[in-house]
Amino acid sequence: METKMLDAHIPLPLAARLDALALDLALPRDQIVIEAIAAWLDTEERRRIATLRTLAAANTIVVVEHDRVIDWADSL
């Protein structure tokens, strides 16, 4: 798979945690970062789809005028 080099400035405490985890798991930092980015993107894409579906559903809701609801309730 082709790759692209990305640079990111991350806070030192986060970098230290990454280094510690990489050492504990005997994994390259790149692999941990790739998995973390993939998981974050998956989550954000699911949220975006859920938001768009919710907005689409909200746009299909039939709105009934207040007076009609009152008339209906009075007819019961």
Side-chain angles (χ1 to χ4, degrees):
M1 175 190 312
E2 289 188 52
T3 63
K4 179 177 181 175
M5 178 68 166
L6 300 175
D7 293 326
H9 293 271
I10 62 173
L12 291 177
L14 188 58
R17 289 173 59 197
L18 176 61
D19 289 341
L21 186 61
L23 185 63
D24 287 348
L25 298 175
L27 292 172
R29 284 183 298 190
D30 289 358
Q31 184 177 344
I32 295 171
V33 171
I34 290 167
E35 288 179 25
I37 292 172
W40 184 82
L41 287 171
D42 289 345
T43 298
E44 290 303 312
E45 287 169 351
R46 281 192 302 272
R47 284 182 186 167
R48 184 170 185 274
I49 289 169
T51 300
L52 292 174
R53 285 183 179 160
T54 301
L55 288 172
N59 288 335
T60 62
I61 293 175
V62 176
V63 177
V64 178
E65 295 173 4
H66 180 71
D67 293 339
R68 291 183 64 193
V69 173
I70 297 298
D71 290 342
W72 171 80
D74 288 341
S75 72
L76 297 177

